Structures are given as C-alpha cells and as structure tokens.
Amino acid sequence: MENFIQINDVYFQYEENGKDPSDKYVLNGINLNIDKGEFVAIVGHNGSGKSTLAKHLNSIYLPTTGDVLIDGMNTKDDNKLFAIRKKVGLVLQNPDNQIVAGVVEDDVAFGCENLGIHPREIRKRVYEALEAVDMYEYRKSSPDKLSGGQKQRIAIAGIIAMQPECIVLDEPTAMLDPQGREEVMSTIQKLNREQNITVILITHYMEEAVLADRVIVLDLGTVFFDGTPREVFAQVEPLKKRRLDVPQATELVHYLKGCGYPLPDCVLNEEECVQALLKILKR
Amino acid sequence: MSIIKVEKLTLVYGQGTSFEKTALNDVSFEIQSGDFVGVIGHTGSGKSTLVQLLNGLLKPTDGKVFLDGKDIWANPKKIRNVRFKVGMVFQYPEYQLFEETVYKDIAFGPKNMGMTEEETDQKVRSAAEFAGLQSDHLYKSPFDLSGGEKRRAAIAGVIAMDPDVLILDEPTAGLDPLGRDVLLSQIRNYHNMRKNTIVLVSHSMEDVARICDKILVMDHGNKKMFDTTENVFLRAEELESIGLRIPQITKIMHMLKQNGVNINANIFTVEQAFNEIINYLGT
Amino acid sequence: MVRNITLGQFIPGHSVIHRLDARTKILLLIAYIVFIFCAANYISLLMMTAVSLAVVLATKIKFRLYLKSLKVILLVVLLTGILNIFNGSGRILWELGLIKITEGGINNAIFVTVRIAVLVLISSVLTFTTSPSDLTDALEKILKPLSIFHIKVHEIAMMMTIALRFIPVLLEETDKIMNAQKARGADLESGNIFYRIKALIPILIPLFVSAFRRANDLATAMECRCYNGGVNRTRMKVLCFSGLDLFGLIFSMIIFVGVIVSNLCIPAVVR
C-alpha cells in the first residue's frame, strides 16, 4: 500500500538575497513516510527544522530538492494545490493570527466557503466541527472574548470543517497556559481516535509527544530518531546530549536503572513510574 | 527589611460599568529585600494585575503599595521614579524592541533615567553580559536576532536600569526547553550576583519550583498562599484543587507516599527524587 | 481604556431587528440619516425620534449600552448644541453685550443635538444587531454593481472583515507596548508637541512590526484554508430578503412620506 504522506530526500533552504545559496540548509535530507490515521509527534528544539517541515506538508513551502507526496500528489504540482490543502490542514502557533472573521461560526465557515461548498452543507459541517472541538455553545461569540485554548480550538474547527484527512499542528500549545494546553491536546487525541484523522503534532513539550503513536526527533534538519514514544524516550543520554527533554518520570527511572535496580527500560507517565518504583521500594 | 509591602490591595476594572470585574481582592503581603519570589496562578488569577500594581503601571482601587517604606502613590508625579526602581519585564518582551541596534535598545531605559553616556555604556555592557548576549550582538539590529536572543536582549533592556526589584512576567513563555533552561539559570545567576529582589510570574510550576525561594499563590484575585517553596509544595493537594499542576516528579513522590512508602515527598527536581530514593533503598 | 469602546460592537440576539437582512438595515440607515436631517419642524423631528427610539427598543438590547456609545460623543453634541444657542437669528430672548440668545438659536441647538443623538442611536442599532461578517457581506452585495468599473469589491469587503477583526487585537497590543515602554521610563505624558511625537516612536515601531508579523501569519492561515480571492466562493449565511424586510421597508416609507408631508405643510423652524 502506498503511504499517505511520503517525504523523499527533502532539502530546503530559505531564499535569501546576497547570500551564498549553498550556505545553510534548514532541512538536510529528510526521508519519512506517514500512514493514514497515525498520530505522529515531531520534536526538536528551535532551529531543528520542525516548523519548516510542517509547512512543506501543504505546499506553503516547496522543497529546494526532493519531493513531498500527499496521497500520491506532488506538492510542487500547481494544479493539485487546492486538492492538497483540502487533504492536509495546517494549524499555526499563534491562535490570534489565524482567525479571520469576527464571529466564531463565520470563521469556522471560512475554509468551506473558499471551497465553494453549498451553504446548507457548510452550516452542517461548521456545527459538526464546533461540536468536535467542544465549542458549539460559543458559535456566536467574538473570538476576542475567548481564552487562548478556546481560540486554538476554533482554529482547529476551521480546519476540520474542510474535512481534511490530515491535520498538521505547528506548536499549537506554545502560547497557551497549562489549562489551554490540556484542552487542545485532548481535542487532538479525540479527533485522531474518533474521526481517524491523521495528526502530525509539532511540539517541544515532551509530555505531549508521549501521547502520540510515533515520535520523530529532528536535529539540525535531519531525522535523528523515529520510533514509538517508548523507544525514543529510552534514549535518555542521546536526547540529553542534544539538550532535549525527557519526561521527569522517564528520567528518574532511567537513572535508577543505571544504578542497577531492576526497572523497565522506559516509563512514559507517572502511573507507570509509580508502579515500577513500588516493585523495588516495597520489597 | 521589607522592600515591598502591599496592604489590602484591591483593583476593580471598569468600576461602575457593566464590565466591572474585580481583578484583585484585598491582598496583603511583604517581600524582603533579596527575596526571589515566584507568583503562580492560572490565567485570570490576578497575578499579572498584581505585578503591574507593584511598579505603578496600574493604580489600586483600594489599598496601598509601599516601596522602601514609602507609599508609591504619595506623589503621583514621581511615579516614574518608582518604575526605575521596580523594573518590569512583560510577557513576550521581544515585541517591545524598536531601536536600530541592540545596544541602543538596551540603552533606552538608562537614557530615560538621565544617566551619562559613560554610565549608560557600562550598564548596557554589564546587562548584556548578565543576559548572556555576546558583545558582537550589540551592534546588530534586534530584528536580526533569533527568538531566544531577542527575548534576552529585551530583558537586558530592563536589567540595564539596575532596578532594586526586577519583575518578570512569564519570561519563558513560548521558548523551547533549551531556551527556557538557559534563561532561568541566567536569571538565577543574576540574582546570585546582584542580590536584588526578583519577582517571577509563571504558570509553570516546574520553573517556579526550580529557581524561586518563596512562592505566592494567587487564585481568583485572592492570595491563597505565601510561603517558602518547600512549604507551598507540602500543600500539593490544595494546589491541585485550585487547578494548578504540580511538577510531575513531585506528583510521583506524593503517589509513592500514598502507596505506603515512607519517603520524603517534598521534592521538585529529578535529582532530589533520585537521591531520596537511593537513600531510602540504602537504609 | 481603549477596550471599553462599545461603538461598532456586535451584540448577538434574536430580535426583529437582528433578523432583518443586513442590506435592508444598511439602506434604511442611510435613508433614516437623510430624513433626520430633512426633518425641519418639530412634528417631523418628533416623528423621526419616536420611530428611532421604537427601533432601539425593538432590538431588545440594554439601553445602557446605547448610552455608552452616546457618551463617547457627548462632548461633541453638547459643544455644538451650546454653540448653536448663541448663533441664530429671530426673536431675541436674552441679551448681554454681544452675546444674545435668540429663538432661532434655541431651535438650532435643539435640532442639532437631537439629530446627532438619533444618528448615533440608529447607527448603533446597525452595528449592535448585525454581525461584522453580515455587514461586510451586505456591503459587498450593495457595492457589487461597482465591479463593472473594475473596482475589486470582494477584496475591499475582505479587507474590512479583517480590519474589524484585528482592530481590537491591535488596540490591546498598543496598550501592552505602551505599558512596556512606560516601564522602561518612557515619558508619554509631558513635554511639547515635538517631544511627544518623538516619544511615540518606541510605540509605533513595535506596533508596525507586530502588525506585519500578524499579517504574515494570517496570510499563511488563509492560504492553508484554500483562500483564492472571491473566485467560486460561497457563503454559509446567504442574505435573503423576507417578509420582515418588506414590512420594514413599507413601514419606513410611511414614516418618510409623513416627514415629507409635514415638511410641506408646516413652516420650517430651522434651515
């Protein structure tokens, strides 16, 4: 079976005037395949190329060399531009800057209106999308009166009303408080589970990456690690060396195991950590 | 000696209108000279309002703020002098950069204070050093710096005024884990060297637990707790009941204790937890 | 505080006025404004005022909010009112040196004050009861004929939508930047005019930088949602005239005819 998203040997550099083009690549030969229905987290610190990669998935950026294929369509193909953007929606970091209209439901409708969908169908989709992100009761509100987490959920609703097969979220929680972060994360998980939407989450919070099926670690524009959260976070030392975080629970168990205690290779959350520790503490 | 004393501070926004909202309700406390205080609470708890009252950007509806024993509103015309003594770094401070060079931007505050060229030069350079900016950055445009560097340049702009009290509102918001760690340790270093008073507002318990000596907990405009970091975290359940999230590692230790492991649960870093468990297993 | 301005704010509701088509509301607003300035005697002025107040009541929005929008221009109203008292002709009622109050002056003052107040009230009715997107949609439809002159009506309407959405955001941002610069000792409240203009630079530059950053983000977000100008675009809310609009139009026509008749039959008290 063909993969839903194929990234083949992608290199990318920003076009800058006056600078030597061979100067610096933001993406340095990326190869990745992502299947339908996956929940993938892409982590790495600022400058690792993760946001740049996200913008490659719906033709906002085009690879300098290499190809990105969405369901078999090349993002470089101009005729497929809208077909690709309909399949892959992108949610940005700053919730304020991606809301176009002054009333919640009008904003959620914006994408569908651009696609030329029938008004009655738009309304149905807008209500469904607002219900999916749990914001139906705010449909008549002005976005200015909402919290950051609520605004971000509106932005997500605006994308899912277009019924995409995949949502890419570029650090959607970076500007939110802990409560807003939780709201957005549970919304994303729900969409992935209940509507089988492929989710690609760009984040620098490891507690969020743990919730994904698969974690891809980017470093200096290359894929440094790709595996299940358990496989990735077992690599405490290599991650720390690149100054990336691991969840505190994982770190604690890892260090204790290093002292010779019989503990699992990797725990991902506090429950697993406590269960593992109780075995050695209650002997 | 107490450097800041707050008495029955109340602030009501839009008094007498339909938008009336009590942001701060009868808050009293004292901050000693040289304290490093963390202020936590979720969005809307009044923490940002509180710190803007401390340097006279907002005028209290009721109650008084004393700086060095003097009521800051005794002479409203002299309020600017209060702002020189109580430096304030706002959320996303990089958005206030405006000068042609980083040097000039950092010099903005000292110049407003009426310092001589020489004094200004010395303050700018030492502030840049505290903030971890390399000297060649000083002559670049602030808009050419990376996100983390911009943030540090903006913080240097306040440090250069050499305030007795430095207030930082969510200084790590939006930074990646690496940027956050670097910035927090720089703030801590600055405090250790200058021995001045620092007030750090945050909704990240991890950050506050790591670097603050005392914590002020705000909830719905009320002061909930004001005590040493250790004592505040002893009341973990109370913190969670007002919707604040305690660090994962603290939670793990509390869960172990609840499961009958006789361990010191008052812990907020992985290192402390590691040592505590090793000690426990050793005895 | 800039954030307390109610003018131009949409207040959701289900009143008769809310349900009117936005195009009807815009056209009627223009007609009402014309006729309130045509009303030249007390009968027609009273008629227009009474109808406007009835419309205000029909919106079922708290009158306090209308008062707030009146408050914004209260000073202007009072000032023009007072100036008009002393500036008129006709029978002299009171005189002190050069200052004299005439019957015409008092009439002028009353008419100017009432006209501006009613104007603000019915304009508020439009913005309070019509969502920003309905408003820009309706304008796009009303101005559609202009596109034969190659005027990009859709683009203008889209710009208005975005402007309405981002004005509050940028006002809040201005507040924040001002506070941040004040905290660094920026002095915005004293000095002569040149000094004050110079003092604005630390506020304007960050504000522009931020506006451009937001514009850049917004453009990306719109592209992600397949925005392609007005080509093949549909709208969720289709504007459609209903019986209610017809009733509104006929009702207003009767009032307007009333004003014209009374203007013809009763001598004008103001020019």
Side-chain angles (χ1 to χ4, degrees):
Chain A
M1 199 195 93
E2 209 175 50
N3 289 299
F4 178 60
I5 296 177
Q6 289 183 42
I7 301 172
N8 297 332
D9 213 18
V10 165
Y11 286 81
F12 178 79
Q13 59 186 171
Y14 287 100
E15 282 172 35
E16 274 182 89
N17 307 332
K19 280 200 183 156
D20 185 7
S22 66
D23 202 17
K24 200 179 125 208
Y25 281 91
V26 186
L27 299 180
N28 250 314
I30 301 236
N31 284 291
L32 280 174
N33 290 316
I34 293 168
D35 276 332
K36 238 175 219 172
E38 271 194 279
F39 179 178
V40 183
I42 300 182
V43 298
H45 37 72
N46 292 346
S48 61
K50 56 190 197 305
S51 291
T52 311
L53 182 63
K55 291 196 171 98
H56 272 78
L57 299 177
N58 69 344
S59 295
I60 298 291
Y61 291 163
L62 298 175
T64 310
T65 61
D67 291 298
V68 177
L69 302 178
I70 307 294
D71 216 359
M73 297 179 287
N74 195 318
T75 55
K76 286 176 179 166
D77 186 348
D78 257 354
N79 299 322
K80 297 277 164 48
L81 187 66
F82 289 108
I84 287 170
R85 289 194 180 148
K86 228 182 101 180
K87 276 189 195 283
V88 180
L90 178 63
V91 175
L92 305 172
Q93 186 189 84
N94 189 328
D96 256 326
N97 298 355
Q98 48 192 326
I99 295 177
V100 185
V103 176
V104 165
E105 59 176 9
D106 295 343
D107 185 74
V108 176
F110 180 74
C112 294
E113 292 176 339
N114 292 332
L115 294 175
I117 294 166
H118 189 274
R120 212 171 312 131
E121 172 69 13
I122 298 182
R123 185 163 294 275
K124 188 174 141 254
R125 286 191 186 191
V126 167
Y127 285 176
E128 280 170 5
L130 281 169
E131 259 159 20
V133 299
D134 219 2
M135 286 295 291
Y136 181 74
E137 57 182 310
Y138 293 95
R139 65 190 181 281
K140 301 275 186 202
S141 303
S142 150
D144 302 319
K145 302 227 156 64
L146 303 178
S147 73
Q150 289 174 325
K151 278 186 228 176
Q152 201 59 293
R153 284 188 283 154
I154 295 304
I156 294 173
I159 295 292
I160 58 173
M162 293 164 73
Q163 301 188 339
E165 286 166 52
C166 172
I167 307 185
V168 182
L169 303 107
D170 187 5
E171 297 191 31
T173 60
M175 299 181 78
L176 307 182
D177 61 359
Q179 196 194 339
R181 243 152 62 194
E182 234 164 62
E183 289 168 14
V184 169
M185 283 311 294
S186 63
T187 305
I188 296 171
Q189 284 179 283
K190 196 175 125 196
L191 290 173
N192 177 249
R193 267 191 231 122
E194 290 173 12
Q195 306 199 14
N196 200 32
I197 295 176
T198 313
V199 171
I200 299 173
L201 172 72
I202 316 281
T203 182
H204 50 232
Y205 293 109
M206 296 303 161
E207 312 88 74
E208 294 175 0
V210 162
L211 303 172
D213 306 326
R214 176 177 169 196
V215 178
I216 295 168
V217 184
L218 287 190
D219 192 41
L220 300 168
T222 55
V223 176
F224 161 63
F225 215 92
D226 181 355
T228 62
R230 217 170 282 282
E231 288 164 358
V232 170
F233 291 119
Q235 313 291 316
V236 176
E237 262 80 38
L239 287 172
K240 284 246 152 189
K241 222 171 169 178
R242 281 167 180 78
R243 312 225 36 187
L244 285 160
D245 259 354
V246 290
Q248 290 180 321
T250 317
E251 201 179 345
L252 178 64
V253 168
H254 177 83
Y255 287 140
L256 286 169
K257 192 183 162 72
C259 293
Y261 294 104
L263 288 164
D265 282 335
C266 182
V267 297
L268 293 177
N269 53 41
E270 50 255 50
E271 282 79 22
E272 283 182 26
C273 176
V274 168
Q275 288 315 314
L277 288 177
L278 281 177
K279 279 196 191 117
I280 62 163
L281 290 169
K282 275 194 158 179
R283 267 182 306 185
Chain B
M1 196 196 102
S2 75
I3 185 155
I4 286 180
K5 191 173 158 198
V6 157
E7 258 180 25
K8 302 193 169 201
L9 210 55
T10 298
L11 188 97
V12 183
Y13 283 117
Q15 202 165 26
T17 70
S18 55
F19 300 100
E20 187 172 302
K21 194 180 157 251
T22 305
L24 212 59
N25 186 16
D26 197 22
V27 174
S28 307
F29 60 86
E30 272 180 58
I31 294 176
Q32 305 301 320
S33 181
D35 273 356
F36 194 139
V37 181
V39 182
I40 51 175
H42 42 75
T43 312
S45 62
K47 57 189 195 312
S48 289
T49 305
L50 174 68
V51 292
Q52 290 189 45
L53 283 161
L54 296 186
N55 79 337
L57 278 171
L58 291 173
K59 202 174 175 177
T61 312
D62 210 1
K64 283 199 164 80
V65 180
F66 296 96
L67 179 67
D68 281 331
K70 277 176 241 139
D71 180 359
I72 64 167
W73 286 101
N75 184 355
K77 282 192 179 138
K78 289 276 164 70
I79 199 70
R80 241 177 109 202
N81 295 340
V82 172
R83 291 179 195 152
F84 294 142
K85 277 193 182 160
V86 184
M88 171 100 186
V89 177
F90 278 87
Q91 252 184 64
Y92 299 99
E94 58 273 28
Y95 295 159
Q96 74 197 33
L97 297 169
F98 71 97
E99 276 284 11
E100 290 158 63
T101 64
V102 174
Y103 183 97
K104 281 189 185 171
D105 209 284
I106 300 177
F108 181 67
K111 283 212 169 128
N112 284 332
M113 292 172 77
M115 287 189 199
T116 63
E117 287 288 326
E118 260 165 77
E119 265 178 302
T120 306
D121 187 69
Q122 187 243 323
K123 296 281 184 204
V124 169
R125 285 176 198 283
S126 72
E129 205 184 315
F130 272 128
L133 286 172
Q134 287 149 10
S135 49
D136 61 322
H137 279 149
L138 286 176
Y139 300 101
K140 282 187 182 171
S141 158
F143 303 107
D144 286 341
L145 301 181
S146 77
E149 289 164 347
K150 272 187 204 165
R151 169 95 33 116
R152 280 181 272 147
I155 294 175
V158 178
I159 290 180
M161 293 161 67
D162 213 358
D164 295 337
V165 182
L166 178 67
I167 303 175
L168 300 118
D169 192 355
E170 303 275 2
T172 62
L175 293 182
D176 65 355
L178 176 60
R180 185 191 65 208
D181 288 354
V182 171
L183 184 60
L184 286 178
S185 55
Q186 263 154 0
I187 295 170
R188 186 72 223 191
N189 274 343
Y190 169 70
H191 174 73
N192 292 345
M193 307 265 282
R194 281 277 286 105
K195 305 265 178 266
N196 58 353
T197 313
I198 296 195
V199 177
L200 183 130
V201 180
S202 179
H203 48 226
S204 162
M205 284 289 205
E206 275 91 354
D207 290 3
V208 171
R210 203 156 58 184
I211 66 166
C212 298
D213 303 326
K214 287 185 183 172
I215 295 181
L216 170 66
V217 181
M218 297 294 299
D219 183 42
H220 290 104
N222 296 302
K223 179 182 91 177
K224 273 276 144 148
M225 305 175 198
F226 184 43
D227 211 332
T228 59
T229 306
E230 284 81 16
N231 287 342
V232 165
F233 278 98
L234 276 179
R235 296 155 78 177
E237 273 163 30
E238 234 176 299
L239 289 172
E240 290 203 305
S241 74
I242 57 172
L244 290 167
R245 286 148 191 81
I246 58 172
Q248 189 180 40
I249 199 75
T250 313
K251 206 167 174 188
I252 289 168
M253 298 306 271
H254 276 269
M255 282 162 82
L256 286 173
K257 195 163 187 167
Q258 280 161 10
N259 275 288
V261 180
N262 187 18
I263 207 166
N264 173 18
N266 196 14
I267 266 165
F268 12 88
T269 66
V270 174
E271 208 185 334
Q272 291 172 339
F274 176 78
N275 290 333
E276 179 65 29
I277 291 175
I278 291 287
N279 270 340
Y280 181 85
L281 287 167
T283 53
Chain C
M1 284 282 241
V2 276
R3 270 169 269 168
N4 288 347
I5 295 171
T6 53
L7 208 67
Q9 193 185 359
F10 170 52
I11 297 154
H14 297 283
S15 75
V16 187
I17 311 292
H18 279 89
R19 295 203 309 265
L20 277 177
D21 189 288
R23 285 168 294 180
T24 314
K25 279 188 267 188
I26 291 176
L27 294 174
L28 284 182
L29 173 67
I30 296 168
Y32 271 77
I33 291 173
V34 170
F35 276 93
I36 188 76
F37 280 94
C38 285
N41 58 57
Y42 280 103
I43 302 280
S44 48
L45 186 72
L46 197 69
M47 227 170 0
M48 287 304 294
T49 312
V51 171
S52 302
L53 284 176
V55 170
V56 164
L57 285 179
T59 60
K60 293 189 179 156
I61 291 169
K62 283 191 194 112
F63 197 68
R64 210 171 41 192
L65 289 170
Y66 287 99
L67 287 181
K68 277 200 82 168
S69 34
L70 274 178
K71 223 162 77 183
V72 177
I73 56 138
L74 189 68
L75 199 71
V76 184
V77 177
L78 285 182
L79 218 74
T80 42
I82 289 166
L83 280 177
N84 270 290
I85 291 183
F86 304 107
N87 176 27
S89 49
R91 195 156 60 89
I92 292 167
L93 300 171
W94 183 80
E95 199 171 5
L96 183 78
L98 281 173
I99 305 168
K100 56 183 180 201
I101 296 178
T102 60
E103 203 179 72
I106 286 189
N107 283 337
N108 279 342
I110 290 173
F111 268 79
V112 165
T113 315
V114 172
R115 278 171 178 174
I116 298 179
V118 171
L119 178 91
V120 171
L121 282 182
I122 55 171
S123 306
S124 301
V125 167
L126 177 71
T127 54
F128 281 176
T129 63
T130 321
S131 79
S133 58
D134 279 353
L135 207 57
T136 47
D137 254 15
L139 272 175
E140 190 178 340
K141 290 264 159 58
I142 291 171
L143 298 176
K144 194 89 197 182
L146 291 178
S147 55
I148 54 167
F149 303 115
H150 298 287
I151 291 171
K152 295 193 186 277
V153 177
H154 167 76
E155 278 74 7
I156 293 171
M158 183 51 78
M159 280 193 271
M160 282 182 50
T161 308
I162 292 171
L164 285 172
R165 157 84 183 91
F166 278 91
I167 284 170
V169 176
L170 289 177
L171 283 178
E172 203 184 311
E173 181 114 22
T174 313
D175 238 27
K176 277 189 199 153
I177 296 171
M178 271 170 80
N179 272 340
Q181 306 300 28
K182 270 200 233 162
R184 291 210 279 167
D187 187 3
L188 306 169
E189 281 120 19
S190 57
N192 63 34
I193 181 91
F194 293 108
Y195 183 83
R196 282 194 195 198
I197 290 171
K198 220 181 134 213
L200 282 179
I201 292 174
I203 289 157
L204 291 180
I205 291 180
L207 191 62
F208 275 114
V209 171
S210 141
F212 279 115
R213 188 171 34 85
R214 287 182 191 281
N216 200 8
D217 272 8
L218 183 68
T220 307
M222 285 169 75
E223 264 188 76
C224 288
R225 288 157 79 181
C226 297
Y227 181 66
N228 188 26
V231 187
N232 292 331
R233 210 163 181 270
T234 48
R235 303 310 310 262
M236 171 172 76
K237 290 173 183 163
V238 186
L239 296 173
C240 61
F241 289 113
S242 62
L244 202 60
D245 294 289
L246 191 66
F247 173 77
L249 285 170
I250 294 173
F251 175 79
S252 304
M253 285 303 166
I254 295 171
I255 302 297
F256 297 154
V257 169
V259 171
I260 294 168
V261 169
S262 87
N263 267 359
L264 289 175
C265 302
I266 305 167
V269 288
V270 288
R271 270 172 292 132

